[in-house]
Amino acid sequence: MKKFLFFFAFLIMMSSSHASQAEEKLMEGIPEYRLVVSFDIPASRITGSASTSVEAGKKLILRTGRLTDLRMSMKGREIGFTKKGDVVEVTPPEAGMLDITYRGVFSGQDAEETMNYGVVSSVIGGRGISLTGTWYPQREGLCLYRLTAALPKGYEAVSEAEDILKAVKNGGVEFTFSFPHPLEGISLVASDRYEVTNETVNGIVVYAYFFSEDRGLAGTYLGHAKKYLDLYGKLLAPYAYKRFSVVENFLPSGYSMPTFTLLGQDVVRLPFIVETSLGHEILHQWFGNLLYIDYDKGNWAEGLTVYLADEYYEEQKGAGWEYRKQILIDYESYVNEKNEFPLRDFRSRTDFASRAIGYGKAAQVFHMLKNIMGEENFYRMLKDMLVEKRFQRVSWEDFRKESEKISHRDLGWFFTQWLDEKGIPDLDVEDLSLRLNGDKFEVRFTLNQKSRAYKLVLPVTITYLSGGSRTESLTIEKEKESFTFLYNRMPATMVIDKNYDVLRRLGAQEFPPVMARMIGDEKPLVVLPPSGKESYAAVIEYFTRKGADRREASGVTYADEKASTLVILGRDNPVIGRLFGRVDTGDGGFSVVLRQNPWNAQKVVGIVNAKSADETDAAFPKIFHYGKYSSLAFEGGRNISKKIDESERGMQMGLREDAAAVDVSALKTLSNAIEAAASKKIVYVGEYHDRFSNHAVELRVIRELFGKNKKLAIGMEMFQRPFQQFLDEYIAGTIDEREFLKKSEYFKRWVFDYNLYKPILDFARQEKIPVIALNMRREITDKVAAGGLDSLTEEERKEIPARMDFSDLDYRERLKSVFEQHEAQEGLKTNFDFFFQVQILWDETMAQSVDEYLKKNPYRQMIVLAGSGHLMYGAGIPTRAHRRNGLDYTIILNDADIDQDIANYVVFPQSLDGVTAPKLMVLLKEEAGKLKITGFAKGSVLQQAGLRAGDTLLSLDNTPVSSVEDVRLVLFYKKSGETLRVRASRKRFLLGEKMMEFEVKL
């Protein structure tokens, strides 16, 4: 809770005894403001009298908030005034002192006195007195304040003061606060529970005002406060006052006023505050309280304080790049076109977006300014301003002028593009290439600024395969600029902005799924839980108020999922299964897990699980303080776990991978692979479908494992689930091969010659080994390929797996590469999302088929035969089956690349020819139950025999044919060189159809 009190621009000056003539000149014309107050604490009431110097006939404007019984007089004569809302105007008839009396009640119940995030600014009560809002008639502009406060006995009080006089008076205690420098406002904090301790550093007395129950924290805070005062005294300029106080507040505050910081009790009890927020608030003694903020021209102080406190502390630990990356994450999470504004327009934080701009963006601007100027010049600029501009209002323009003076450079472009424009750069790399140029390695690429052209100094780091790296600094200012670099050693990767030195949009691989992205999304989609909605009432209410759509899980389409950030309620919500298969929501009474939206890299999915409404009410409000985390768990409102998902550092691009090398001395054989596979519950064997050598390996694996374990089953991608009955009948011997091929629709549903698989099916039939049809029926996958999963009917949806995981981004990228190659070869423009859905549907269906069979037959070992693409890296079927059953498996691939983790074994069988069914080399079209010839391929035996395009095939070897699979079935039982009897018909003009018979040599 690091808050700076934006209502005032506080001033800090050196003590009057050390004031220079220039400082004395600044004091000329500053009006006095004397304030005397007393309290009726049980009634939450303040009674005050003020006296301020005025000029004759010059209008005076006061803000009075909720103050009442306001009276004004001069020299005992009452003065009239006008009041509109909380603004009072009075025109003094003469010069002198204007006297004001007033009352006010501050019970903390009135919403008028709330500040950012609902913090009450002024309260008087039994817990204490905290007055940081409009608790007296506030005069516009700077004044020299003197405050006297009468309080009950036992109270300690703090205000902006160089000297505090405490005297016993009328049975109570009276405090007089003297501050010899002008301020725009004054505060008062008091309590009868304070225990006051102090220590000294460099002549500064550092005080701790802590409640008795927290007295043990005082020493820690004093020690750290001394450290920060010493740090910034050396880094910037000596601290400006004789005293500094750390004051505990009963309200949840985090403010910095001249000579003290006011921290809420809940805040000071957090163990990390002394390492973070305390230093931030102390640094405000320099920026905001010594250099004033010219609010009319923009608030620069929060960004500079974040940069030299929060970010600076992380930089000292070697983690500055992580802090700057978090700035970019927050910016992208919270800022959008509707709530974005130029940095120069920032005044104070009112929400997450304004904080991301005024704190985060501004801090990054100062970081980039330091990198342009150089560190020495940057700090020289700050030191000079702290001397030359102290006690004055400072604007961004002053920073520009001072930076230009120190660096001897025109920096107008820098301040204009970062302060006056909305948005941040959006970069990508095009045409990246690596080639050998003589004895050098040449890297070429084009940097593209997608939104608009910024002038940027961009670090680009090349790492070498042999180790080490080299960084170039590129200055770009056009929408597209190309670069070429030569290197002596082989480059491995190129990383742009590795340390997050530039304010820019993050690449998809750099942008982890975090709470901030869910919280900051403009209009998420809330997916209601299947039961127990009352447990999520607070979550539903918050996101609904934010403008989110709400929907039952059954009403959520894949188009909805792609378009939205999702807030999914309940770990048993079926939408989780549709997207990720399964997600571990962890322990705790309330948990939130963020995942990347698999359909849209710019969106996230938040999975919220709650055991009860009480757990939600206790924990949900706290997640807003954990924006950088990817998963959270709470028990009774107490955080018990938190985690940030890994993401890439910088924009990373691969140039060259180290060549794979095989230790030949450790080379294994297929026999070794089979021996190792014998102990695994599932053995996956990957194939190229059209290679006899691959199927010979499969048959050998089956034979040898069957020799070790008769309880074997074979799962095959080549058969579809609705035809399992006919596989069973064939293996059992109740139907013959021809009937099996006909009823299983093999030739309709699988394009590859059955001779490739016949030896496997023959062996299975011989040994009565169950063969399991793994695949989804083609009608479903064809429909998904054409229109996506949303095109399926309710009945069709019942056939597909309820749980499917679309979140494997590496698998998605490999499939995208295959898809793009297919597009280029075929000249097609199809939908990659639909292609991806089909691939995952195949994988998940086959994984489910494996799992279902083994659950029903737990005593069996299973060999799964599938295309290698479904098995490589375990990404297709293996990990999805393992997600369901956790069973051990091994992967054996035929003819695959040697790559890390691609499989357990890769086999390279010698090429092997095999007998295949003869081909007619003809193009056929099925029309109204007839099979029409539409064309011929080169060397067609039918064309050579005299058939023509337009003829209709009627029968082959007296077997009627009306479909392509009928033809393939007949041909399967023929051999090359044999004769095929073909009966066909041909339409003739006016003469009717002609029946024809041919004898065709195959």
PDB file of all heavy atoms in Angstrom, residues 763-787:
ATOM      1  N   PHE A 763      -1.469 -61.717 -37.722  1.00  0.00           N
ATOM      2  CA  PHE A 763      -0.869 -62.244 -36.496  1.00  0.00           C
ATOM      3  C   PHE A 763      -1.831 -62.083 -35.319  1.00  0.00           C
ATOM      4  O   PHE A 763      -1.983 -63.004 -34.503  1.00  0.00           O
ATOM      5  CB  PHE A 763       0.453 -61.527 -36.202  1.00  0.00           C
ATOM      6  CG  PHE A 763       1.141 -62.045 -34.975  1.00  0.00           C
ATOM      7  CD1 PHE A 763       1.779 -63.277 -34.977  1.00  0.00           C
ATOM      8  CD2 PHE A 763       1.143 -61.310 -33.799  1.00  0.00           C
ATOM      9  CE1 PHE A 763       2.410 -63.767 -33.844  1.00  0.00           C
ATOM     10  CE2 PHE A 763       1.778 -61.782 -32.656  1.00  0.00           C
ATOM     11  CZ  PHE A 763       2.409 -63.017 -32.676  1.00  0.00           C
ATOM     12  N   ALA A 764      -2.507 -60.951 -35.242  1.00  0.00           N
ATOM     13  CA  ALA A 764      -3.453 -60.731 -34.153  1.00  0.00           C
ATOM     14  C   ALA A 764      -4.596 -61.746 -34.217  1.00  0.00           C
ATOM     15  O   ALA A 764      -5.034 -62.288 -33.185  1.00  0.00           O
ATOM     16  CB  ALA A 764      -4.004 -59.306 -34.214  1.00  0.00           C
ATOM     17  N   ARG A 765      -5.083 -62.010 -35.435  1.00  0.00           N
ATOM     18  CA  ARG A 765      -6.168 -62.989 -35.603  1.00  0.00           C
ATOM     19  C   ARG A 765      -5.680 -64.384 -35.224  1.00  0.00           C
ATOM     20  O   ARG A 765      -6.390 -65.144 -34.545  1.00  0.00           O
ATOM     21  CB  ARG A 765      -6.662 -62.946 -37.050  1.00  0.00           C
ATOM     22  CG  ARG A 765      -7.773 -63.946 -37.408  1.00  0.00           C
ATOM     23  CD  ARG A 765      -8.111 -63.764 -38.877  1.00  0.00           C
ATOM     24  NE  ARG A 765      -8.943 -64.818 -39.408  1.00  0.00           N
ATOM     25  CZ  ARG A 765     -10.271 -64.758 -39.564  1.00  0.00           C
ATOM     26  NH1 ARG A 765     -10.918 -63.674 -39.176  1.00  0.00           N
ATOM     27  NH2 ARG A 765     -10.942 -65.764 -40.095  1.00  0.00           N
ATOM     28  N   GLN A 766      -4.445 -64.698 -35.665  1.00  0.00           N
ATOM     29  CA  GLN A 766      -3.886 -66.012 -35.372  1.00  0.00           C
ATOM     30  C   GLN A 766      -3.761 -66.250 -33.874  1.00  0.00           C
ATOM     31  O   GLN A 766      -4.087 -67.330 -33.368  1.00  0.00           O
ATOM     32  CB  GLN A 766      -2.511 -66.129 -36.048  1.00  0.00           C
ATOM     33  CG  GLN A 766      -1.726 -67.387 -35.702  1.00  0.00           C
ATOM     34  CD  GLN A 766      -0.305 -67.310 -36.233  1.00  0.00           C
ATOM     35  OE1 GLN A 766      -0.077 -66.878 -37.359  1.00  0.00           O
ATOM     36  NE2 GLN A 766       0.650 -67.728 -35.415  1.00  0.00           N
ATOM     37  N   GLU A 767      -3.291 -65.208 -33.139  1.00  0.00           N
ATOM     38  CA  GLU A 767      -3.027 -65.365 -31.708  1.00  0.00           C
ATOM     39  C   GLU A 767      -4.173 -64.849 -30.832  1.00  0.00           C
ATOM     40  O   GLU A 767      -4.062 -64.844 -29.604  1.00  0.00           O
ATOM     41  CB  GLU A 767      -1.734 -64.632 -31.337  1.00  0.00           C
ATOM     42  CG  GLU A 767      -0.504 -65.112 -32.086  1.00  0.00           C
ATOM     43  CD  GLU A 767      -0.142 -66.545 -31.765  1.00  0.00           C
ATOM     44  OE1 GLU A 767      -0.627 -67.071 -30.729  1.00  0.00           O
ATOM     45  OE2 GLU A 767       0.638 -67.161 -32.517  1.00  0.00           O
ATOM     46  N   LYS A 768      -5.264 -64.393 -31.482  1.00  0.00           N
ATOM     47  CA  LYS A 768      -6.429 -63.870 -30.762  1.00  0.00           C
ATOM     48  C   LYS A 768      -6.055 -62.689 -29.848  1.00  0.00           C
ATOM     49  O   LYS A 768      -6.507 -62.555 -28.710  1.00  0.00           O
ATOM     50  CB  LYS A 768      -7.098 -64.973 -29.931  1.00  0.00           C
ATOM     51  CG  LYS A 768      -7.610 -66.132 -30.778  1.00  0.00           C
ATOM     52  CD  LYS A 768      -8.743 -65.654 -31.703  1.00  0.00           C
ATOM     53  CE  LYS A 768      -9.365 -66.800 -32.497  1.00  0.00           C
ATOM     54  NZ  LYS A 768      -8.539 -67.187 -33.678  1.00  0.00           N
ATOM     55  N   ILE A 769      -5.212 -61.800 -30.391  1.00  0.00           N
ATOM     56  CA  ILE A 769      -4.825 -60.582 -29.660  1.00  0.00           C
ATOM     57  C   ILE A 769      -5.868 -59.507 -29.957  1.00  0.00           C
ATOM     58  O   ILE A 769      -6.109 -59.177 -31.125  1.00  0.00           O
ATOM     59  CB  ILE A 769      -3.439 -60.092 -30.120  1.00  0.00           C
ATOM     60  CG1 ILE A 769      -2.379 -61.178 -29.888  1.00  0.00           C
ATOM     61  CG2 ILE A 769      -3.055 -58.812 -29.383  1.00  0.00           C
ATOM     62  CD1 ILE A 769      -1.034 -60.829 -30.492  1.00  0.00           C
ATOM     63  N   PRO A 770      -6.508 -58.941 -28.955  1.00  0.00           N
ATOM     64  CA  PRO A 770      -7.516 -57.900 -29.208  1.00  0.00           C
ATOM     65  C   PRO A 770      -6.903 -56.711 -29.946  1.00  0.00           C
ATOM     66  O   PRO A 770      -5.789 -56.274 -29.631  1.00  0.00           O
ATOM     67  CB  PRO A 770      -7.970 -57.487 -27.803  1.00  0.00           C
ATOM     68  CG  PRO A 770      -7.583 -58.627 -26.916  1.00  0.00           C
ATOM     69  CD  PRO A 770      -6.361 -59.230 -27.511  1.00  0.00           C
ATOM     70  N   VAL A 771      -7.616 -56.221 -30.942  1.00  0.00           N
ATOM     71  CA  VAL A 771      -7.225 -55.024 -31.675  1.00  0.00           C
ATOM     72  C   VAL A 771      -8.272 -53.951 -31.407  1.00  0.00           C
ATOM     73  O   VAL A 771      -9.470 -54.197 -31.603  1.00  0.00           O
ATOM     74  CB  VAL A 771      -7.082 -55.296 -33.185  1.00  0.00           C
ATOM     75  CG1 VAL A 771      -6.723 -54.002 -33.929  1.00  0.00           C
ATOM     76  CG2 VAL A 771      -6.022 -56.362 -33.437  1.00  0.00           C
ATOM     77  N   ILE A 772      -7.824 -52.783 -30.982  1.00  0.00           N
ATOM     78  CA  ILE A 772      -8.744 -51.730 -30.547  1.00  0.00           C
ATOM     79  C   ILE A 772      -8.759 -50.603 -31.563  1.00  0.00           C
ATOM     80  O   ILE A 772      -7.709 -50.044 -31.923  1.00  0.00           O
ATOM     81  CB  ILE A 772      -8.331 -51.179 -29.160  1.00  0.00           C
ATOM     82  CG1 ILE A 772      -8.042 -52.331 -28.189  1.00  0.00           C
ATOM     83  CG2 ILE A 772      -9.399 -50.241 -28.622  1.00  0.00           C
ATOM     84  CD1 ILE A 772      -9.157 -53.340 -28.061  1.00  0.00           C
ATOM     85  N   ALA A 773      -9.940 -50.265 -32.047  1.00  0.00           N
ATOM     86  CA  ALA A 773     -10.116 -49.115 -32.932  1.00  0.00           C
ATOM     87  C   ALA A 773      -9.998 -47.841 -32.090  1.00  0.00           C
ATOM     88  O   ALA A 773     -10.806 -47.611 -31.180  1.00  0.00           O
ATOM     89  CB  ALA A 773     -11.475 -49.176 -33.617  1.00  0.00           C
ATOM     90  N   LEU A 774      -9.024 -46.994 -32.365  1.00  0.00           N
ATOM     91  CA  LEU A 774      -8.751 -45.828 -31.519  1.00  0.00           C
ATOM     92  C   LEU A 774      -9.377 -44.539 -32.017  1.00  0.00           C
ATOM     93  O   LEU A 774      -9.650 -43.631 -31.223  1.00  0.00           O
ATOM     94  CB  LEU A 774      -7.228 -45.609 -31.423  1.00  0.00           C
ATOM     95  CG  LEU A 774      -6.377 -46.738 -30.831  1.00  0.00           C
ATOM     96  CD1 LEU A 774      -4.910 -46.314 -30.808  1.00  0.00           C
ATOM     97  CD2 LEU A 774      -6.850 -47.102 -29.433  1.00  0.00           C
ATOM     98  N   ASN A 775      -9.622 -44.427 -33.305  1.00  0.00           N
ATOM     99  CA  ASN A 775      -9.850 -43.113 -33.893  1.00  0.00           C
ATOM    100  C   ASN A 775     -11.318 -42.683 -33.892  1.00  0.00           C
ATOM    101  O   ASN A 775     -12.235 -43.504 -33.827  1.00  0.00           O
ATOM    102  CB  ASN A 775      -9.322 -43.091 -35.326  1.00  0.00           C
ATOM    103  CG  ASN A 775      -8.665 -41.772 -35.665  1.00  0.00           C
ATOM    104  OD1 ASN A 775      -8.965 -40.746 -35.068  1.00  0.00           O
ATOM    105  ND2 ASN A 775      -7.755 -41.797 -36.633  1.00  0.00           N
ATOM    106  N   MET A 776     -11.505 -41.371 -33.983  1.00  0.00           N
ATOM    107  CA  MET A 776     -12.826 -40.759 -34.131  1.00  0.00           C
ATOM    108  C   MET A 776     -13.349 -41.020 -35.538  1.00  0.00           C
ATOM    109  O   MET A 776     -12.585 -41.066 -36.501  1.00  0.00           O
ATOM    110  CB  MET A 776     -12.697 -39.247 -33.882  1.00  0.00           C
ATOM    111  CG  MET A 776     -13.953 -38.431 -34.143  1.00  0.00           C
ATOM    112  SD  MET A 776     -15.309 -38.875 -33.031  1.00  0.00           S
ATOM    113  CE  MET A 776     -14.592 -38.417 -31.452  1.00  0.00           C
ATOM    114  N   ARG A 777     -14.664 -41.176 -35.659  1.00  0.00           N
ATOM    115  CA  ARG A 777     -15.218 -41.431 -36.995  1.00  0.00           C
ATOM    116  C   ARG A 777     -15.013 -40.200 -37.882  1.00  0.00           C
ATOM    117  O   ARG A 777     -15.066 -39.057 -37.430  1.00  0.00           O
ATOM    118  CB  ARG A 777     -16.674 -41.848 -36.930  1.00  0.00           C
ATOM    119  CG  ARG A 777     -17.680 -40.811 -36.485  1.00  0.00           C
ATOM    120  CD  ARG A 777     -19.071 -41.437 -36.444  1.00  0.00           C
ATOM    121  NE  ARG A 777     -20.076 -40.523 -35.913  1.00  0.00           N
ATOM    122  CZ  ARG A 777     -20.888 -39.787 -36.679  1.00  0.00           C
ATOM    123  NH1 ARG A 777     -20.807 -39.872 -38.003  1.00  0.00           N
ATOM    124  NH2 ARG A 777     -21.784 -38.996 -36.131  1.00  0.00           N
ATOM    125  N   ARG A 778     -14.784 -40.483 -39.136  1.00  0.00           N
ATOM    126  CA  ARG A 778     -14.348 -39.460 -40.072  1.00  0.00           C
ATOM    127  C   ARG A 778     -15.384 -38.345 -40.277  1.00  0.00           C
ATOM    128  O   ARG A 778     -15.026 -37.196 -40.526  1.00  0.00           O
ATOM    129  CB  ARG A 778     -14.031 -40.130 -41.408  1.00  0.00           C
ATOM    130  CG  ARG A 778     -13.439 -39.213 -42.441  1.00  0.00           C
ATOM    131  CD  ARG A 778     -13.006 -40.006 -43.651  1.00  0.00           C
ATOM    132  NE  ARG A 778     -12.590 -39.140 -44.736  1.00  0.00           N
ATOM    133  CZ  ARG A 778     -12.160 -39.574 -45.908  1.00  0.00           C
ATOM    134  NH1 ARG A 778     -12.085 -40.878 -46.132  1.00  0.00           N
ATOM    135  NH2 ARG A 778     -11.795 -38.740 -46.849  1.00  0.00           N
ATOM    136  N   GLU A 779     -16.657 -38.690 -40.179  1.00  0.00           N
ATOM    137  CA  GLU A 779     -17.689 -37.681 -40.389  1.00  0.00           C
ATOM    138  C   GLU A 779     -17.547 -36.519 -39.391  1.00  0.00           C
ATOM    139  O   GLU A 779     -17.800 -35.353 -39.715  1.00  0.00           O
ATOM    140  CB  GLU A 779     -19.086 -38.303 -40.266  1.00  0.00           C
ATOM    141  CG  GLU A 779     -19.469 -39.248 -41.392  1.00  0.00           C
ATOM    142  CD  GLU A 779     -18.898 -40.650 -41.231  1.00  0.00           C
ATOM    143  OE1 GLU A 779     -18.129 -40.879 -40.247  1.00  0.00           O
ATOM    144  OE2 GLU A 779     -19.206 -41.516 -42.057  1.00  0.00           O
ATOM    145  N   ILE A 780     -17.138 -36.860 -38.159  1.00  0.00           N
ATOM    146  CA  ILE A 780     -16.962 -35.829 -37.126  1.00  0.00           C
ATOM    147  C   ILE A 780     -15.746 -34.968 -37.455  1.00  0.00           C
ATOM    148  O   ILE A 780     -15.820 -33.731 -37.448  1.00  0.00           O
ATOM    149  CB  ILE A 780     -16.786 -36.470 -35.734  1.00  0.00           C
ATOM    150  CG1 ILE A 780     -18.038 -37.261 -35.337  1.00  0.00           C
ATOM    151  CG2 ILE A 780     -16.443 -35.403 -34.695  1.00  0.00           C
ATOM    152  CD1 ILE A 780     -19.205 -36.415 -34.941  1.00  0.00           C
ATOM    153  N   THR A 781     -14.608 -35.611 -37.737  1.00  0.00           N
ATOM    154  CA  THR A 781     -13.393 -34.835 -37.986  1.00  0.00           C
ATOM    155  C   THR A 781     -13.509 -34.001 -39.254  1.00  0.00           C
ATOM    156  O   THR A 781     -13.000 -32.877 -39.311  1.00  0.00           O
ATOM    157  CB  THR A 781     -12.164 -35.763 -38.054  1.00  0.00           C
ATOM    158  OG1 THR A 781     -12.387 -36.794 -39.008  1.00  0.00           O
ATOM    159  CG2 THR A 781     -11.894 -36.384 -36.694  1.00  0.00           C
ATOM    160  N   ASP A 782     -14.185 -34.520 -40.272  1.00  0.00           N
ATOM    161  CA  ASP A 782     -14.384 -33.737 -41.491  1.00  0.00           C
ATOM    162  C   ASP A 782     -15.224 -32.489 -41.205  1.00  0.00           C
ATOM    163  O   ASP A 782     -14.952 -31.402 -41.731  1.00  0.00           O
ATOM    164  CB  ASP A 782     -15.081 -34.575 -42.567  1.00  0.00           C
ATOM    165  CG  ASP A 782     -14.134 -35.573 -43.227  1.00  0.00           C
ATOM    166  OD1 ASP A 782     -12.920 -35.498 -42.970  1.00  0.00           O
ATOM    167  OD2 ASP A 782     -14.619 -36.441 -43.990  1.00  0.00           O
ATOM    168  N   LYS A 783     -16.222 -32.649 -40.362  1.00  0.00           N
ATOM    169  CA  LYS A 783     -17.092 -31.517 -40.039  1.00  0.00           C
ATOM    170  C   LYS A 783     -16.327 -30.466 -39.232  1.00  0.00           C
ATOM    171  O   LYS A 783     -16.483 -29.262 -39.448  1.00  0.00           O
ATOM    172  CB  LYS A 783     -18.312 -32.014 -39.257  1.00  0.00           C
ATOM    173  CG  LYS A 783     -19.419 -30.972 -39.129  1.00  0.00           C
ATOM    174  CD  LYS A 783     -20.697 -31.602 -38.589  1.00  0.00           C
ATOM    175  CE  LYS A 783     -21.825 -30.570 -38.535  1.00  0.00           C
ATOM    176  NZ  LYS A 783     -23.076 -31.164 -38.012  1.00  0.00           N
ATOM    177  N   VAL A 784     -15.494 -30.921 -38.298  1.00  0.00           N
ATOM    178  CA  VAL A 784     -14.696 -29.988 -37.506  1.00  0.00           C
ATOM    179  C   VAL A 784     -13.683 -29.275 -38.395  1.00  0.00           C
ATOM    180  O   VAL A 784     -13.446 -28.070 -38.256  1.00  0.00           O
ATOM    181  CB  VAL A 784     -13.996 -30.713 -36.342  1.00  0.00           C
ATOM    182  CG1 VAL A 784     -13.011 -29.789 -35.633  1.00  0.00           C
ATOM    183  CG2 VAL A 784     -15.022 -31.238 -35.351  1.00  0.00           C
ATOM    184  N   ALA A 785     -13.075 -29.994 -39.337  1.00  0.00           N
ATOM    185  CA  ALA A 785     -12.103 -29.382 -40.248  1.00  0.00           C
ATOM    186  C   ALA A 785     -12.748 -28.272 -41.069  1.00  0.00           C
ATOM    187  O   ALA A 785     -12.114 -27.265 -41.385  1.00  0.00           O
ATOM    188  CB  ALA A 785     -11.509 -30.441 -41.175  1.00  0.00           C
ATOM    189  N   ALA A 786     -14.028 -28.438 -41.389  1.00  0.00           N
ATOM    190  CA  ALA A 786     -14.724 -27.447 -42.221  1.00  0.00           C
ATOM    191  C   ALA A 786     -15.284 -26.293 -41.406  1.00  0.00           C
ATOM    192  O   ALA A 786     -15.268 -25.144 -41.860  1.00  0.00           O
ATOM    193  CB  ALA A 786     -15.853 -28.121 -42.994  1.00  0.00           C
ATOM    194  N   GLY A 787     -15.780 -26.573 -40.199  1.00  0.00           N
ATOM    195  CA  GLY A 787     -16.473 -25.522 -39.451  1.00  0.00           C
ATOM    196  C   GLY A 787     -16.116 -25.416 -37.988  1.00  0.00           C
ATOM    197  O   GLY A 787     -16.739 -24.637 -37.259  1.00  0.00           O
TER     198      GLY A 787
END
